[in-house]
């Protein structure tokens, strides 16, 4: 064998030896892996949460932006969780969709809803998650101003996200031009309505497309004539309580008279809230009765420059001189969770709830959304604009408040309440018939409840 071929043979021999060693090592490794337990996959479970809100109106845009950002930040911190954050018209959500979903047990995982009588059937049928322990474990129980509308049998079934108040807004420029002093009693308000009409102004801008705005007038007049005790008896089935009583007759007849006089926007039942506000900000209407949630429509692109400085804020007038007027409002709007949530999905939903209920979010609700915080929070009302500052001052000055009646009455009676007031605004029914229909609905409801309890 020549010297030139010997290195090649040597290399080939070693190559076979190395290949053999690699094959044997791979075989040993394979056998070892086969003898071991499978490696556990510790990657987080992929979760999808459904969240339905009704922040679709123009005045809701700042609030929607806040919660969209919270959801986006949550998803970045929890890459395994996808939140389907979707909006639906409030009336469709409350009156149709959610009710049917609660019957079938298929509601969204999380949803915006109203506390009080509206959620009581959901609590009774065990469709809402009990948040009592969640609130306690996260130090939230004592942070809220009022959980009355969310508490049943000492258990919490939802958390309010904001508070609200329903004052009477008026155009100071128009009132000063006509030398009208802001009314403090119903008789003075009657006079104001006539003065405004004689001067060519619409007294009240009203957009009742969603049906509930007209109820604000009804429940204020009912409260002024009858006080707070009667509606509480009617809402709880008190014996002897009836909608067809002298005080409510007077209240509904006053509302009927205003309707006949043309005190409200023409075609109010077909008018949206946004278009009603435009009548107010445009100077055609002199007064506007609705919640503080509409304040952000008094400035920016939707209103004339500096219009917010022409807005005065007063309580809805009292029955007589010397009476302290109460203000409709409360902590009615909040978030609830489906009781069907379990396991990792339940924990993910509760983590998102924690992200919603923080001082930071509540502060943004005040300064960006111009909404009353539901949690105890110090804020500078001088930085919120002149209208919101007046609302806050009004709430501090008057200690008496009452929960809007549509949050007190059972869903069945509330539906009739909405219907008869809508018909009154449309002039298809009168005050006496409206109260008779309301009493009939209430009686049927309580008869059904009592018969069920006896079974």
């Amino acid at each position: 064998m020549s010297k030139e071929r010997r290195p090649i043979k040597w290399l080939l021999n070693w190559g076979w030896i190395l290949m053999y060693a690699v094959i044997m090592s791979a075989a040993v490794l394979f056998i070892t892996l086969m003898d071991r337990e499978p490696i556990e996959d510790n990657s987080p479970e992929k979760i999808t949460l459904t969240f339905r809100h009704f922040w679709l109106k123009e005045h809701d845009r700042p609030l929607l932006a806040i919660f969209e950002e919270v959801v986006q930040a949550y998803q970045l911190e929890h890459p395994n969780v996808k939140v389907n954050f979707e909006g639906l018209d409030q009336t469709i959500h409350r009156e149709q969709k959610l009710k049917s979903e609660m019957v079938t047990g298929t509601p969204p995982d999380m949803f915006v809803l109203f506390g009080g009588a509206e959620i009581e059937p959901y609590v009774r049928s065990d469709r809402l998650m009990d948040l009592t322990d969640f609130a306690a474990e996260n130090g939230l129980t004592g942070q809220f101003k009022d959980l009355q509308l969310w508490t049943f049998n000492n258990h919490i079934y939802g958390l309010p996200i904001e508070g609200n108040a329903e004052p009477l807004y008026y155009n100071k420029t128009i009132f000063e031009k006509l030398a009208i002093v802001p009314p403090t009693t119903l008789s003075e308000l009657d006079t104001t309505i006539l003065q405004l009409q004689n001067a060519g102004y619409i007294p009240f801008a009203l957009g009742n497309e969603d049906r509930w705005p007209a109820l604000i007038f009804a429940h204020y007049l009912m409260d002024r004539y009858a006080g707070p005790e009667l509606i509480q008896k009617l809402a709880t089935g008190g014996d002897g309580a009836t909608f067809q009583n002298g005080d409510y007759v007077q209240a509904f007849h006053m509302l009927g008279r205003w309707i006949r006089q043309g005190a409200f926007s023409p075609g109010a039942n077909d008018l949206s809230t946004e278009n009603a506000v435009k009548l107010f900000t445009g100077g055609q209407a002199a007064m506007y009765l609705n919640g503080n949630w509409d304040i952000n429509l008094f400035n920016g692109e939707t209103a004339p420059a500096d219009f917010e400085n022409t807005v005065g804020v007063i309580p809805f007038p009292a029955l007589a001189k010397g009476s302290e007027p109460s203000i409709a409002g409360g902590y009615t709007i909040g978030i609830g969770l489906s009781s069907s949530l379990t396991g990792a999905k339940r924990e993910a939903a509760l983590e998102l709830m924690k992200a919603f209920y923080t001082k930071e979010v509540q502060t943004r609700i005040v300064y960006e959304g111009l909404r009353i915080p539901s949690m105890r929070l110090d804020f500078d009302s001088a930085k919120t604009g002149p209208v919101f500052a007046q609302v806050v001052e009004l709430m501090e000055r008057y200690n008496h408040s009452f929960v809007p009646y549509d949050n007190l009455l059972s869903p069945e009676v509330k539906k009739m309440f909405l219907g008869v007031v809508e018909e009154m605004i449309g002039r298809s029914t009168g005050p006496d018939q409206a109260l008779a229909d309301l009493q009939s609905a209430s009686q049927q409801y309580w008869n059904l409840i009592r018969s069920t309890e006896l079974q």
Side-chain angles (χ1 to χ4, degrees), residues 373-415:
S374 63
M375 297 170 69
R376 303 184 190 282
L377 182 75
D378 292 326
F379 61 91
D380 186 356
S381 59
K383 296 180 180 178
T384 60
V387 183
F388 188 83
Q390 288 182 79
V391 173
V392 172
E393 192 275 332
L394 197 71
M395 295 180 71
E396 292 174 349
R397 190 194 323 166
Y398 297 101
N399 297 319
H400 298 297
S401 64
F402 66 90
V403 176
Y405 286 12
D406 54 330
N407 292 118
L408 286 175
L409 298 171
S410 69
E412 292 80 1
V413 181
K414 171 194 161 183
K415 183 177 180 180

Short mmCIF file of all heavy atoms in Angstrom, two decimals, residues 373-415:
data_model
loop_
_atom_site.label_atom_id
_atom_site.label_comp_id
_atom_site.label_asym_id
_atom_site.label_seq_id
_atom_site.Cartn_x
_atom_site.Cartn_y
_atom_site.Cartn_z
N PRO A 373 -68.11 59.38 39.94
CA PRO A 373 -67.47 58.09 40.26
C PRO A 373 -68.32 57.27 41.21
O PRO A 373 -69.01 57.80 42.08
CB PRO A 373 -66.15 58.51 40.92
CG PRO A 373 -66.45 59.85 41.51
CD PRO A 373 -67.41 60.52 40.57
N SER A 374 -68.26 55.95 41.05
CA SER A 374 -69.01 55.06 41.95
C SER A 374 -68.21 54.75 43.21
O SER A 374 -68.77 54.34 44.22
CB SER A 374 -69.36 53.76 41.23
OG SER A 374 -68.18 53.06 40.87
N MET A 375 -66.89 54.94 43.12
CA MET A 375 -66.02 54.65 44.26
C MET A 375 -65.63 55.95 44.96
O MET A 375 -65.70 57.04 44.38
CB MET A 375 -64.77 53.90 43.78
CG MET A 375 -65.09 52.55 43.16
SD MET A 375 -63.67 51.75 42.33
CE MET A 375 -62.64 51.36 43.73
N ARG A 376 -65.24 55.82 46.22
CA ARG A 376 -64.85 57.00 47.00
C ARG A 376 -63.56 57.56 46.41
O ARG A 376 -62.54 56.89 46.37
CB ARG A 376 -64.66 56.62 48.47
CG ARG A 376 -65.93 56.00 49.06
CD ARG A 376 -65.80 55.71 50.54
NE ARG A 376 -66.92 54.91 51.00
CZ ARG A 376 -68.14 55.38 51.25
NH1 ARG A 376 -68.38 56.67 51.09
NH2 ARG A 376 -69.10 54.57 51.67
N LEU A 377 -63.65 58.80 45.97
CA LEU A 377 -62.54 59.38 45.22
C LEU A 377 -62.52 60.89 45.41
O LEU A 377 -63.56 61.56 45.31
CB LEU A 377 -62.71 59.04 43.73
CG LEU A 377 -61.65 59.52 42.77
CD1 LEU A 377 -60.40 58.66 42.91
CD2 LEU A 377 -62.17 59.45 41.33
N ASP A 378 -61.37 61.44 45.70
CA ASP A 378 -61.21 62.89 45.77
C ASP A 378 -60.87 63.41 44.38
O ASP A 378 -59.97 62.89 43.72
CB ASP A 378 -60.09 63.26 46.75
CG ASP A 378 -60.45 62.93 48.19
OD1 ASP A 378 -61.64 63.04 48.54
OD2 ASP A 378 -59.55 62.57 48.96
N PHE A 379 -61.60 64.42 43.94
CA PHE A 379 -61.29 65.01 42.64
C PHE A 379 -61.61 66.50 42.68
O PHE A 379 -62.36 66.99 43.54
CB PHE A 379 -62.09 64.33 41.52
CG PHE A 379 -63.59 64.45 41.64
CD1 PHE A 379 -64.28 65.49 41.05
CD2 PHE A 379 -64.31 63.49 42.34
CE1 PHE A 379 -65.66 65.59 41.17
CE2 PHE A 379 -65.70 63.57 42.45
CZ PHE A 379 -66.37 64.62 41.88
N ASP A 380 -61.01 67.23 41.77
CA ASP A 380 -61.15 68.69 41.70
C ASP A 380 -62.23 69.01 40.68
O ASP A 380 -61.99 68.96 39.48
CB ASP A 380 -59.82 69.31 41.32
CG ASP A 380 -59.86 70.84 41.36
OD1 ASP A 380 -60.95 71.40 41.61
OD2 ASP A 380 -58.81 71.46 41.15
N SER A 381 -63.43 69.34 41.16
CA SER A 381 -64.54 69.61 40.24
C SER A 381 -64.29 70.86 39.39
O SER A 381 -64.90 71.02 38.34
CB SER A 381 -65.85 69.75 41.02
OG SER A 381 -65.77 70.81 41.96
N ALA A 382 -63.37 71.72 39.85
CA ALA A 382 -63.06 72.92 39.08
C ALA A 382 -62.37 72.57 37.76
O ALA A 382 -62.36 73.36 36.82
CB ALA A 382 -62.18 73.85 39.89
N LYS A 383 -61.79 71.37 37.69
CA LYS A 383 -61.09 70.94 36.48
C LYS A 383 -61.97 70.14 35.54
O LYS A 383 -61.50 69.65 34.51
CB LYS A 383 -59.86 70.10 36.87
CG LYS A 383 -58.81 70.87 37.64
CD LYS A 383 -57.63 69.96 38.00
CE LYS A 383 -56.57 70.72 38.78
NZ LYS A 383 -55.43 69.84 39.17
N THR A 384 -63.23 69.99 35.88
CA THR A 384 -64.13 69.18 35.07
C THR A 384 -65.03 70.02 34.16
O THR A 384 -65.84 69.47 33.44
CB THR A 384 -65.03 68.32 35.96
OG1 THR A 384 -65.81 69.18 36.81
CG2 THR A 384 -64.19 67.39 36.83
N GLY A 385 -64.90 71.33 34.24
CA GLY A 385 -65.77 72.19 33.45
C GLY A 385 -66.91 72.73 34.29
O GLY A 385 -67.27 72.15 35.32
N PRO A 386 -67.53 73.83 33.86
CA PRO A 386 -68.52 74.53 34.68
C PRO A 386 -69.81 73.75 34.94
O PRO A 386 -70.40 73.88 36.00
CB PRO A 386 -68.80 75.81 33.89
CG PRO A 386 -68.43 75.48 32.47
CD PRO A 386 -67.28 74.52 32.58
N VAL A 387 -70.27 72.95 33.99
CA VAL A 387 -71.55 72.25 34.16
C VAL A 387 -71.42 71.12 35.17
O VAL A 387 -72.23 70.98 36.10
CB VAL A 387 -72.09 71.73 32.82
CG1 VAL A 387 -73.46 71.08 33.02
CG2 VAL A 387 -72.20 72.87 31.80
N PHE A 388 -70.39 70.29 35.01
CA PHE A 388 -70.18 69.19 35.94
C PHE A 388 -69.95 69.72 37.35
O PHE A 388 -70.45 69.15 38.32
CB PHE A 388 -68.98 68.34 35.50
CG PHE A 388 -68.80 67.07 36.28
CD1 PHE A 388 -69.53 65.94 35.96
CD2 PHE A 388 -67.92 67.01 37.35
CE1 PHE A 388 -69.37 64.76 36.67
CE2 PHE A 388 -67.76 65.84 38.08
CZ PHE A 388 -68.49 64.71 37.74
N ALA A 389 -69.22 70.82 37.46
CA ALA A 389 -68.97 71.41 38.77
C ALA A 389 -70.28 71.84 39.43
O ALA A 389 -70.46 71.66 40.65
CB ALA A 389 -68.04 72.61 38.63
N GLN A 390 -71.22 72.36 38.65
CA GLN A 390 -72.52 72.75 39.20
C GLN A 390 -73.32 71.52 39.66
O GLN A 390 -74.01 71.58 40.68
CB GLN A 390 -73.33 73.51 38.15
CG GLN A 390 -72.83 74.91 37.85
CD GLN A 390 -73.71 75.61 36.83
OE1 GLN A 390 -74.78 76.12 37.15
NE2 GLN A 390 -73.28 75.61 35.58
N VAL A 391 -73.23 70.44 38.89
CA VAL A 391 -73.94 69.21 39.27
C VAL A 391 -73.42 68.68 40.59
O VAL A 391 -74.18 68.31 41.49
CB VAL A 391 -73.82 68.14 38.17
CG1 VAL A 391 -74.40 66.81 38.65
CG2 VAL A 391 -74.53 68.58 36.90
N VAL A 392 -72.10 68.64 40.73
CA VAL A 392 -71.49 68.16 41.97
C VAL A 392 -71.89 69.04 43.14
O VAL A 392 -72.24 68.56 44.23
CB VAL A 392 -69.95 68.11 41.83
CG1 VAL A 392 -69.29 67.80 43.17
CG2 VAL A 392 -69.55 67.07 40.79
N GLU A 393 -71.86 70.35 42.92
CA GLU A 393 -72.25 71.29 43.99
C GLU A 393 -73.70 71.11 44.37
O GLU A 393 -74.07 71.18 45.55
CB GLU A 393 -71.99 72.72 43.50
CG GLU A 393 -72.06 73.79 44.58
CD GLU A 393 -73.47 74.30 44.86
OE1 GLU A 393 -74.30 74.26 43.92
OE2 GLU A 393 -73.73 74.72 46.00
N LEU A 394 -74.55 70.82 43.37
CA LEU A 394 -75.97 70.60 43.62
C LEU A 394 -76.18 69.37 44.49
O LEU A 394 -76.98 69.38 45.44
CB LEU A 394 -76.69 70.42 42.28
CG LEU A 394 -78.21 70.57 42.25
CD1 LEU A 394 -78.60 72.01 42.46
CD2 LEU A 394 -78.75 70.06 40.92
N MET A 395 -75.45 68.30 44.19
CA MET A 395 -75.57 67.07 44.96
C MET A 395 -75.09 67.25 46.39
O MET A 395 -75.61 66.63 47.32
CB MET A 395 -74.80 65.95 44.27
CG MET A 395 -75.37 65.56 42.92
SD MET A 395 -74.45 64.23 42.12
CE MET A 395 -74.89 62.85 43.17
N GLU A 396 -74.08 68.10 46.57
CA GLU A 396 -73.57 68.36 47.91
C GLU A 396 -74.52 69.25 48.71
O GLU A 396 -74.61 69.14 49.93
CB GLU A 396 -72.18 69.00 47.82
CG GLU A 396 -71.11 68.06 47.27
CD GLU A 396 -69.78 68.75 47.06
OE1 GLU A 396 -69.74 70.01 47.13
OE2 GLU A 396 -68.78 68.04 46.80
N ARG A 397 -75.22 70.13 48.01
CA ARG A 397 -76.11 71.07 48.70
C ARG A 397 -77.41 70.40 49.13
O ARG A 397 -77.94 70.67 50.20
CB ARG A 397 -76.42 72.26 47.78
CG ARG A 397 -77.14 73.40 48.53
CD ARG A 397 -77.75 74.43 47.59
NE ARG A 397 -76.95 74.70 46.40
CZ ARG A 397 -77.42 75.34 45.34
NH1 ARG A 397 -78.70 75.74 45.32
NH2 ARG A 397 -76.67 75.56 44.30
N TYR A 398 -77.95 69.53 48.28
CA TYR A 398 -79.22 68.88 48.59
C TYR A 398 -78.95 67.42 48.97
O TYR A 398 -78.44 66.64 48.18
CB TYR A 398 -80.17 68.95 47.39
CG TYR A 398 -80.54 70.37 47.03
CD1 TYR A 398 -79.93 71.02 45.96
CD2 TYR A 398 -81.49 71.07 47.78
CE1 TYR A 398 -80.26 72.33 45.62
CE2 TYR A 398 -81.83 72.38 47.45
CZ TYR A 398 -81.21 73.00 46.38
OH TYR A 398 -81.54 74.29 46.07
N ASN A 399 -79.33 67.08 50.17
CA ASN A 399 -79.02 65.76 50.71
C ASN A 399 -80.01 64.67 50.30
O ASN A 399 -79.70 63.48 50.42
CB ASN A 399 -78.95 65.81 52.24
CG ASN A 399 -77.83 66.72 52.71
OD1 ASN A 399 -76.75 66.71 52.15
ND2 ASN A 399 -78.08 67.52 53.75
N HIS A 400 -81.20 65.08 49.86
CA HIS A 400 -82.24 64.09 49.56
C HIS A 400 -82.15 63.65 48.09
O HIS A 400 -82.04 64.47 47.19
CB HIS A 400 -83.63 64.67 49.84
CG HIS A 400 -83.84 65.05 51.27
ND1 HIS A 400 -83.81 64.12 52.29
CD2 HIS A 400 -84.06 66.25 51.85
CE1 HIS A 400 -84.02 64.73 53.45
NE2 HIS A 400 -84.17 66.02 53.20
N SER A 401 -82.19 62.35 47.89
CA SER A 401 -82.18 61.81 46.53
C SER A 401 -83.10 60.59 46.49
O SER A 401 -83.45 60.03 47.53
CB SER A 401 -80.76 61.42 46.10
OG SER A 401 -80.27 60.38 46.92
N PHE A 402 -83.50 60.22 45.32
CA PHE A 402 -84.30 59.00 45.17
C PHE A 402 -83.86 58.27 43.91
O PHE A 402 -83.38 58.88 42.95
CB PHE A 402 -85.80 59.30 45.14
CG PHE A 402 -86.27 60.10 43.94
CD1 PHE A 402 -86.69 59.46 42.77
CD2 PHE A 402 -86.32 61.49 43.97
CE1 PHE A 402 -87.14 60.18 41.67
CE2 PHE A 402 -86.77 62.22 42.88
CZ PHE A 402 -87.17 61.56 41.72
N VAL A 403 -84.00 56.96 43.95
CA VAL A 403 -83.61 56.13 42.82
C VAL A 403 -84.65 56.30 41.72
O VAL A 403 -85.86 56.25 41.99
CB VAL A 403 -83.51 54.65 43.24
CG1 VAL A 403 -83.21 53.76 42.04
CG2 VAL A 403 -82.44 54.48 44.32
N PRO A 404 -84.23 56.53 40.48
CA PRO A 404 -85.20 56.62 39.38
C PRO A 404 -86.17 55.44 39.39
O PRO A 404 -85.78 54.29 39.63
CB PRO A 404 -84.30 56.60 38.14
CG PRO A 404 -83.02 57.23 38.61
CD PRO A 404 -82.86 56.75 40.02
N TYR A 405 -87.44 55.73 39.15
CA TYR A 405 -88.49 54.73 39.31
C TYR A 405 -88.31 53.51 38.41
O TYR A 405 -88.71 52.39 38.78
CB TYR A 405 -89.86 55.36 39.04
CG TYR A 405 -90.35 56.28 40.14
CD1 TYR A 405 -89.49 56.70 41.17
CD2 TYR A 405 -91.66 56.73 40.17
CE1 TYR A 405 -89.94 57.55 42.17
CE2 TYR A 405 -92.11 57.58 41.17
CZ TYR A 405 -91.25 57.99 42.17
OH TYR A 405 -91.69 58.83 43.17
N ASP A 406 -87.70 53.69 37.23
CA ASP A 406 -87.53 52.52 36.36
C ASP A 406 -86.51 51.54 36.93
O ASP A 406 -86.45 50.39 36.48
CB ASP A 406 -87.15 52.94 34.94
CG ASP A 406 -85.93 53.85 34.89
OD1 ASP A 406 -85.70 54.59 35.85
OD2 ASP A 406 -85.21 53.81 33.88
N ASN A 407 -85.73 51.96 37.94
CA ASN A 407 -84.82 51.04 38.61
C ASN A 407 -85.45 50.42 39.86
O ASN A 407 -84.87 49.50 40.45
CB ASN A 407 -83.53 51.75 39.01
CG ASN A 407 -82.68 52.14 37.82
OD1 ASN A 407 -82.43 53.31 37.59
ND2 ASN A 407 -82.25 51.17 37.04
N LEU A 408 -86.61 50.93 40.24
CA LEU A 408 -87.30 50.40 41.43
C LEU A 408 -88.37 49.38 41.07
O LEU A 408 -88.56 48.39 41.77
CB LEU A 408 -87.95 51.54 42.21
CG LEU A 408 -87.04 52.47 43.02
CD1 LEU A 408 -87.86 53.60 43.61
CD2 LEU A 408 -86.33 51.70 44.12
N LEU A 409 -89.07 49.64 39.97
CA LEU A 409 -90.20 48.79 39.60
C LEU A 409 -89.74 47.50 38.94
O LEU A 409 -88.69 47.45 38.31
CB LEU A 409 -91.13 49.56 38.66
CG LEU A 409 -91.78 50.83 39.23
CD1 LEU A 409 -92.50 51.60 38.14
CD2 LEU A 409 -92.71 50.48 40.37
N SER A 410 -90.53 46.47 39.10
CA SER A 410 -90.22 45.19 38.45
C SER A 410 -90.19 45.38 36.94
O SER A 410 -90.82 46.29 36.40
CB SER A 410 -91.29 44.16 38.81
OG SER A 410 -92.51 44.50 38.18
N PRO A 411 -89.44 44.53 36.22
CA PRO A 411 -89.35 44.68 34.76
C PRO A 411 -90.71 44.72 34.06
O PRO A 411 -90.90 45.47 33.11
CB PRO A 411 -88.54 43.45 34.35
CG PRO A 411 -87.68 43.16 35.54
CD PRO A 411 -88.55 43.49 36.73
N GLU A 412 -91.67 43.92 34.54
CA GLU A 412 -92.98 43.87 33.91
C GLU A 412 -93.74 45.19 34.09
O GLU A 412 -94.35 45.70 33.15
CB GLU A 412 -93.81 42.72 34.49
CG GLU A 412 -93.29 41.34 34.14
CD GLU A 412 -92.11 40.90 35.01
OE1 GLU A 412 -91.72 41.67 35.90
OE2 GLU A 412 -91.60 39.80 34.79
N VAL A 413 -93.69 45.74 35.31
CA VAL A 413 -94.38 47.01 35.58
C VAL A 413 -93.64 48.16 34.90
O VAL A 413 -94.26 49.09 34.38
CB VAL A 413 -94.51 47.24 37.10
CG1 VAL A 413 -95.25 48.54 37.38
CG2 VAL A 413 -95.22 46.06 37.76
N LYS A 414 -92.32 48.11 34.91
CA LYS A 414 -91.53 49.14 34.25
C LYS A 414 -91.86 49.21 32.76
O LYS A 414 -91.95 50.30 32.18
CB LYS A 414 -90.04 48.85 34.45
CG LYS A 414 -89.13 49.73 33.63
CD LYS A 414 -87.73 49.17 33.60
CE LYS A 414 -86.94 49.74 32.45
NZ LYS A 414 -85.59 49.16 32.36
N LYS A 415 -92.05 48.04 32.15
CA LYS A 415 -92.38 48.02 30.73
C LYS A 415 -93.68 48.76 30.45
O LYS A 415 -93.79 49.53 29.49
CB LYS A 415 -92.49 46.56 30.25
CG LYS A 415 -92.76 46.40 28.76
CD LYS A 415 -92.79 44.93 28.36
CE LYS A 415 -93.05 44.77 26.88
NZ LYS A 415 -93.09 43.35 26.46
#
